[in-house]
Amino acid sequence: MSLLERIQAKQGEMAASAGPTEEAAAEDHALRAPKKDLVATFRDLRRGETPVRVNAKEPKRVNKHQELKNRLHKRILEELQDSPVEDIIPKLDAMAIEIIKEEETFQGSIDRKRVVDELVNDLTGYGPINPLLLDADVSEVMVNGPEQVYVERSGKLELTDVQFRDNEHVMSVIERIVAPLGRRIDESSPMVDARLPDGSRVNVIIPPLALNGPTITIRKFSQDPFTMEDLIRFGTLSEEMATFLDACVKARLNVFVSGGTGSGKTTTLNVLSACIPSDERIVTIEDAAELKLWQEHVVSLESRPPNMEGKGAVTIRDLVRNSLRMRPERIIVGEVRGGEALDMLQAMNTGHDGSLATGHSNSPRDMISRLETMVLMAGIDLPVKAIREQIAGALDLIIQQTRLKDGSRKITHITEVQGMEGDTVVLQDIFVFEQIGIDQAGRIIGKLVPTGVRPKFYERLETSGIYIPPTVFIEREEWNG
């Protein structure tokens, strides 16, 4: 054994006889302690706890951008706490310059304008998502907790680099949305449907129901309602379909717009409502008011959730019933979900022609089945055949709208409800969307074509003084020669 090996052995014997050092004891305790697995770590993160870092010597990362924002925020509270927001905004820029000069480490590493803009959004808007709400290209904003914000652009979902500080930051934005509406959100009432002043629809759900943190979904609506020309330009429908639908609304046919979530049902309903003559009295009924009608004689009704004691709720069904006493010439129901379907069908069958409504389904035939189910939800025991007769007698047209895989929105079917044959409701497609293929960019290639069938109510259109050229029901290639 060499001299070096003997010295090392002797040192080991001395250390063993003297007992473990504090450092060795700590190391031994760390080795014996049970390891926290990844599942436990994620559980801590969901609870808002910060997991212990494996390497204690690892330096803590400092977000200078966030640090400057926090210091500016603190300075505002100290110096301008009694000032109105309008007086604070002009001073923010000067404050940012002053704070940056105080700290040499901030020089060249901080985007002052970005910090000031974010603070302005926190003070006067909806925090980090305010620029997204102002972006005309964004149709939907989805906040999945403080660190994940998605948007929808051109029908496609995109992850943004927008983040909140923490759950409390998200909650402060939620409070800013619901407080002016007199609504509350807390653990006892963790879900809220609301709308922004510009009409955008908002859904909020918070912990303990939302495990990722407070969640916000905002469906934006254009300040200038879309027109039939816009839908043609978007490829949602063809010129022939637009001519046909305009005639159907003017002739007071009962029309139902069917489709999945985010398929554009409300937009299409709004466009169809623009075809109603301006001298008619229109009553709109919605959960959250979204329709923007240009006519003057419009009465807009909105349902109301229960109050803190669970009382005072006013449902869509209550409003449909009440609307029948308001001398409506047109009834427009934003979305039919339950027992109000029975009242709506009865209204359509008792002289309230020209009514419009929307509902969720995957096809016109599926919409008939769903209406049957919704009528049964009214709590009245009716035979299935009687329900189908109500549906066949009330509806004239079903418009099926779909959001395709490439994000585009198309009216895939315009289907006539022709009546009953035995126990079955007879449907006949007037226009359909035919998919041809997919291009290299992933866009769906197809065409909107008539089926060549003239609807049974064509004579009804003519007696209303509305003429539709026969070529509308013939595919272009045929009558172009």
Side-chain angles (χ1 to χ4, degrees):
M1 181 182 292
S2 67
L3 178 61
L4 178 60
E5 290 172 337
R6 289 201 301 272
I7 293 173
Q8 289 175 340
K10 186 64 176 176
Q11 287 175 339
E13 292 172 3
M14 292 172 63
S17 62
T21 62
E22 291 184 7
E23 184 177 353
E27 183 177 354
D28 180 68
H29 176 73
L31 290 172
R32 292 175 182 273
K35 298 286 188 299
K36 179 175 284 190
D37 59 12
L38 287 174
V39 174
T41 301
F42 280 121
R43 191 181 301 121
D44 289 346
L45 286 171
R46 282 182 171 177
R47 283 197 292 252
E49 300 173 6
T50 303
V52 178
R53 286 180 294 158
V54 176
N55 185 359
K57 295 181 180 180
E58 180 185 342
K60 185 179 180 180
R61 294 179 180 176
V62 178
N63 186 335
K64 295 181 179 180
H65 174 86
Q66 188 61 50
E67 186 178 331
L68 176 58
K69 272 185 64 178
N70 294 342
R71 292 181 61 183
L72 263 175
H73 210 280
K74 184 178 180 181
R75 181 78 64 87
I76 289 170
L77 294 177
E78 292 175 352
E79 299 185 11
L80 304 172
Q81 57 183 344
D82 297 325
S83 303
V85 172
E86 293 76 13
D87 294 341
I88 294 174
I89 293 174
K91 300 176 182 179
L92 284 177
D93 202 53
M95 282 188 175
I97 294 173
E98 183 181 342
I99 293 178
I100 290 173
K101 285 181 177 178
E102 290 175 2
E103 290 284 349
E104 293 182 358
T105 55
F106 286 154
Q107 296 292 341
S109 62
I110 292 295
D111 183 351
R112 177 171 51 82
K113 184 180 184 304
R114 177 185 169 197
V115 171
V116 173
D117 287 345
E118 290 181 5
L119 268 176
V120 171
N121 289 332
D122 280 340
L123 290 169
T124 63
Y126 299 104
I129 62 174
N130 206 61
L132 302 177
L133 297 176
L134 298 176
D135 188 341
D137 294 331
V138 173
S139 57
E140 198 149 359
V141 178
M142 291 147 277
V143 179
N144 305 331
E147 297 180 356
Q148 193 181 69
V149 178
Y150 280 87
V151 297
E152 182 187 66
R153 281 191 179 92
S154 303
K156 292 286 189 179
L157 296 183
E158 300 176 6
L159 178 63
T160 70
D161 58 357
V162 173
Q163 290 190 346
F164 291 79
R165 289 192 302 272
D166 47 32
N167 283 349
E168 288 69 26
H169 193 191
V170 185
M171 286 302 299
S172 69
V173 172
I174 291 174
E175 288 294 339
R176 195 170 299 168
I177 292 171
V178 302
L181 304 175
R183 309 285 292 278
R184 83 168 187 186
I185 184 161
D186 51 33
E187 287 193 9
S188 62
S189 181
M191 295 184 293
V192 167
D193 280 318
R195 71 175 185 274
L196 301 182
D198 66 355
S200 298
R201 185 172 64 197
V202 183
N203 175 269
V204 172
I205 182 166
I206 65 171
L209 301 187
L211 301 182
N212 296 337
T215 302
I216 310 171
T217 307
I218 301 176
R219 174 79 59 82
K220 291 173 57 182
F221 291 96
S222 174
Q223 291 299 307
D224 298 319
F226 290 124
T227 64
M228 199 73 83
E229 290 72 23
D230 291 323
L231 295 191
I232 294 172
R233 181 164 48 86
F234 298 153
T236 302
L237 46 70
S238 66
E239 293 181 10
E240 291 76 22
M241 294 164 75
T243 301
F244 177 70
L245 292 177
D246 178 72
C248 291
V249 174
K250 284 184 168 62
R252 303 183 64 85
L253 299 184
N254 293 321
V255 181
F256 208 98
V257 183
S258 161
T261 301
S263 60
K265 298 186 301 297
T266 303
T267 298
T268 298
L269 182 65
N270 209 85
V271 169
L272 292 175
S273 67
C275 302
I276 299 174
S278 59
D279 59 348
E280 296 188 21
R281 176 175 170 83
I282 306 169
V283 178
T284 68
I285 300 168
E286 301 173 85
D287 261 335
E290 299 168 3
L291 296 173
K292 295 181 180 179
L293 277 65
W294 64 272
Q295 295 89 339
E296 291 185 3
H297 200 167
V298 178
V299 179
S300 299
L301 306 180
E302 187 177 54
S303 65
R304 184 177 69 186
N307 59 19
M308 296 181 185
E309 289 77 30
K311 300 178 180 179
V314 179
T315 65
I316 292 287
R317 189 176 188 189
D318 296 330
L319 295 177
V320 171
R321 288 175 173 175
N322 188 79
S323 70
L324 301 178
R325 307 184 188 101
M326 298 173 66
R327 197 201 171 279
E329 291 182 289
R330 305 269 188 162
I331 299 174
I332 302 177
V333 183
E335 186 171 331
V336 179
R337 293 195 186 97
E340 65 270 11
L342 176 61
D343 301 281
M344 184 197 71
L345 293 173
Q346 288 178 337
M348 290 177 172
N349 275 317
T350 54
H352 295 90
D353 293 332
S355 297
L356 305 171
T358 73
H360 281 89
S361 76
N362 298 318
S363 68
R365 176 62 63 187
D366 183 39
M367 192 69 251
I368 298 295
S369 299
R370 285 187 55 79
L371 279 171
E372 291 178 23
T373 303
M374 288 188 281
V375 168
L376 292 172
M377 291 169 66
I380 299 176
D381 189 14
L382 290 172
V384 173
K385 185 174 182 179
I387 296 174
R388 290 176 182 173
E389 287 174 347
Q390 284 274 331
I391 295 171
L395 295 184
D396 296 301
L397 207 65
I398 296 176
I399 300 172
Q400 181 68 34
Q401 187 146 343
T402 304
R403 181 174 176 269
L404 303 180
K405 291 182 179 180
D406 63 354
S408 63
R409 294 170 171 87
K410 304 281 187 186
I411 291 179
T412 55
H413 297 79
I414 295 180
T415 304
E416 180 188 12
V417 181
Q418 294 189 332
M420 292 284 292
E421 191 173 293
D423 292 341
T424 304
V425 178
V426 179
L427 303 179
Q428 174 61 57
D429 292 335
I430 308 300
F431 293 89
V432 295
F433 174 74
E434 293 182 354
Q435 182 173 335
I436 300 172
I438 300 176
D439 65 13
Q440 293 181 347
R443 292 186 296 266
I444 291 177
I445 304 171
K447 55 183 179 178
L448 300 157
V449 297
T451 60
V453 177
R454 189 179 298 186
K456 279 189 174 182
F457 54 70
Y458 186 77
E459 291 182 3
R460 180 175 167 185
L461 298 178
E462 289 183 330
T463 56
S464 300
I466 298 171
Y467 173 72
I468 300 179
T471 51
V472 166
F473 304 106
I474 304 173
E475 192 170 349
R476 289 189 181 188
E477 286 81 358
E478 296 179 16
W479 56 267
N480 279 344

